[in-house]
Amino acid sequence: MSYISRKRLCIGFVAGILMLSAGGFAPVSAQEIPNDFSAIVRQKLPAVVAITTRQIIQDQTMLDDFLNPFDSRGPAQPQVREALGSGFVVSPEGYIVTNNHVVADSTEIRVVFSDKETSPARLVGRDPATDIAVLKVDPRPNMTTTAWGDSDAMQPGAWTIAIGSPFGLGGTVTVGVLSARSRDIQAGPYDDFLQTDASINRGNSGGPLFNARGEVIGVNTAIVSPSGGSIGIGFAVPSRTARSVADQLIRTGRIERGFIGVRLQEVTPSIAQALGISSTKGALVASVEPGSPAEKAGLQSGDVITRFNGKDIQGVHDLTLAAANEKPGSKATLTRNRGGSEQEVELTVGQRKDEEVQTGAVPSPEAAGQRLGLSLSPIPDEARQQLGLQPGTTGVFIQEVAPNSPAAENGLRPGDVIVSANNRNVTQPSDVQQEWTKSRQQKKPILFRIERQGQSLFVAVAPS
């Protein structure tokens, strides 16, 4: 049976979650289609790079050593994991776009150009939510760059060209067509992939997907594969998304996403009937966050949002993407259906604050263990009952756990609630970070008490 591969498209000892990226430009007429793509490849190949990474990790034995100090095996030694991906140069200043999962948690990043010259790279910033990252190398003389295209103009059947370093074979070119648009493969909250049948394999992660004009319409990110190899179903983050994220990371080192403050669910036929509406299209407002833009605009639980800034909303995913893509502080107009009557509502888009966005330089091996690997937020009020929490329980909610992080390796899970850290009650993410910093300075594990599905347990996480 085929499935969405969540193995990295990068080679080495590590497998990770594959994610998203793409782009495109105006439709290409039959007269513009070349007999072959050699001219485009010759022009763009120097702008495509291979990316090699190293990650210093600690074995689980490190925690065992702490719990069993008289063990005769001796101290555990750090391990080095190596991986390979692809990327492409987007400016003569040396900025390179790739996938987040190619470089996440790396202690060393190097770029290999098509002429085999290598260069150390600095991490400018990364966005786990879209799997996009930006690197920086020292500019080279006459550096070849790529140009972004318009992914929204791409139609199924249009030519696509992938260039990358599958299995370490640098400068590999494959050609296919755009198979579909707006694919949601359940890899993240902002899934909107382009699908292509151009052959994509491990090591292609972060490489460009070109149109027939040689413009980047996407960033190759994921594949469907029962065996780990290509079967002609690959996914790329569209350039509409990748370019916006990359530009923000280059400009500010961080990502801003729009926020309207509603919890949503799909409109089922029975819900539509109960609400007195004739269609299941739209996103149902299950709850409105106090003080949010939605509350200030008068939205209520039970409203169905059917349009956002002039675009039809088919379901929850459409509205999530539309709101996130709006610039914080901008005005947005949405159409709500309340009791069978539609009304336009204007609101001012807020800024989402609960995204995990990692920025900054690549850490040295000594600093590699400083990240705990958790994305934290206050406990969502609407989730308390589902989490099995007793009334009055305070703590911090774990939204995401980064793969291969200290938190993941010691068993913490999304949905856990951290009640205390080092026997100190915690009520906000900064409390957890303070205790983690203390534990690292003291070179000892941090002790969490967590609530998981109505049960209390302790988890010790050792700094790596």
Side-chain angles (χ1 to χ4, degrees):
M1 178 185 296
S2 295
Y3 59 92
I4 299 294
S5 172
R6 289 183 176 269
K7 297 177 182 177
R8 287 188 177 180
L9 294 180
C10 47
I11 202 167
F13 301 107
V14 180
I17 295 177
L18 305 181
M19 303 173 101
L20 344 133
S21 254
F25 210 66
V28 180
S29 67
Q31 290 79 10
E32 294 174 300
I33 298 176
N35 293 326
D36 63 38
F37 301 98
S38 58
I40 292 174
V41 171
R42 188 166 54 250
Q43 180 184 17
K44 300 301 179 182
L45 187 61
V48 181
V49 301
I51 297 173
T52 63
T53 69
R54 290 163 57 89
Q55 179 187 4
I56 307 296
I57 64 169
Q58 300 290 346
D59 190 84
Q60 174 64 27
T61 312
M62 290 293 289
L63 180 58
D64 297 338
D65 290 342
F66 177 81
L67 298 176
N68 301 284
F70 302 108
D71 196 318
S72 61
R73 293 174 298 175
Q77 297 300 312
Q79 297 180 355
V80 177
R81 289 178 175 172
E82 298 180 344
L84 176 69
S86 302
F88 53 100
V89 182
V90 294
S91 80
E93 289 78 24
Y95 288 103
I96 293 171
V97 172
T98 185
N99 278 149
N100 169 66
H101 74 258
V102 171
V103 298
D105 302 317
S106 297
T107 56
E108 180 184 336
I109 303 174
R110 298 190 69 83
V111 165
V112 184
F113 291 91
S114 60
D115 60 4
K116 307 304 180 184
E117 181 178 333
T118 65
S119 174
R122 173 177 64 86
L123 178 63
V124 175
R126 61 189 184 91
D127 178 35
T130 58
D131 200 23
I132 295 296
V134 174
L135 309 177
K136 177 73 165 62
V137 297
D138 290 336
R140 305 204 307 169
N142 302 315
M143 179 173 278
T144 303
T145 64
T146 57
W148 291 104
D150 181 4
S151 53
D152 289 344
M154 292 291 290
Q155 299 297 323
W159 287 109
T160 57
I161 309 163
I163 303 180
S165 186
F167 302 106
L169 302 172
T172 297
V173 181
T174 57
V175 176
V177 298
L178 185 71
S179 304
R181 296 170 43 178
S182 299
R183 289 298 200 198
D184 180 0
I185 63 173
Q186 304 297 310
Y190 309 118
D191 280 17
D192 189 28
F193 290 108
L194 301 179
Q195 179 182 330
T196 180
D197 67 352
S199 181
I200 297 173
N201 288 283
R202 296 181 188 177
N204 276 113
S205 276
L209 186 69
F210 293 101
N211 62 12
R213 286 197 179 97
E215 299 157 333
V216 177
I217 56 163
V219 182
N220 298 318
T221 301
I223 59 174
V224 170
S225 173
S227 62
S230 173
I231 61 170
I233 303 178
F235 301 98
V237 178
S239 58
R240 169 178 26 84
T241 300
R243 182 177 187 176
S244 173
V245 170
D247 286 350
Q248 288 188 65
L249 291 176
I250 291 171
R251 188 173 64 253
T252 67
R254 60 190 302 271
I255 301 299
E256 291 185 344
R257 287 194 173 89
F259 166 76
I260 63 175
V262 290
R263 181 171 173 267
L264 304 169
Q265 65 183 83
E266 301 292 349
V267 181
T268 65
S270 57
I271 288 176
Q273 184 178 7
L275 292 173
I277 57 179
S278 59
S279 173
T280 59
K281 294 180 180 179
L284 174 64
V285 177
S287 62
V288 179
E289 185 173 319
S292 66
E295 184 190 56
K296 294 175 182 177
L299 289 176
Q300 299 176 7
S301 176
D303 287 346
V304 176
I305 300 174
T306 58
R307 290 177 66 80
F308 189 90
N309 277 350
K311 294 184 178 180
D312 290 338
I313 300 298
Q314 303 294 324
V316 170
H317 189 66
D318 287 350
L319 184 56
T320 300
L321 283 175
N325 288 333
E326 289 298 313
K327 184 178 180 180
S330 63
K331 299 290 184 180
T333 301
L334 56 85
T335 302
R336 71 176 180 201
N337 189 316
R338 178 181 295 174
S341 176
E342 289 195 340
Q343 180 183 3
E344 282 197 349
V345 175
E346 186 178 87
L347 54 74
T348 301
V349 178
Q351 180 174 333
R352 184 173 295 278
K353 296 182 174 63
D354 58 357
E355 298 287 352
E356 179 197 14
V357 179
Q358 300 288 346
T359 62
V362 176
S364 65
E366 292 77 16
Q370 293 184 2
R371 291 185 297 273
L372 178 56
L374 294 177
S375 179
L376 303 171
S377 74
I379 304 172
D381 290 337
E382 63 272 14
R384 284 181 170 273
Q385 183 175 358
Q386 183 180 354
L387 293 170
L389 299 178
Q390 296 295 323
T393 298
T394 59
V396 178
F397 180 68
I398 298 180
Q399 293 182 315
E400 297 180 22
V401 180
N404 305 314
S405 65
E409 292 172 354
N410 288 279
L412 289 176
R413 307 174 185 172
D416 287 347
V417 173
I418 300 175
V419 177
S420 69
N422 289 336
N423 295 316
R424 170 195 171 189
N425 290 337
V426 296
T427 58
Q428 53 190 358
S430 60
D431 295 339
V432 176
Q433 182 60 47
Q434 289 173 8
E435 292 302 318
W436 175 245
T437 300
K438 291 178 183 178
S439 292
R440 284 194 294 104
Q441 292 171 345
Q442 297 170 5
K443 297 182 179 180
K444 70 175 186 179
I446 184 173
L447 183 65
F448 290 122
R449 183 166 69 86
I450 66 172
E451 291 285 332
R452 177 181 295 166
Q453 298 176 348
Q455 302 293 322
S456 294
L457 64 154
F458 286 95
V459 175
V461 178
S464 58

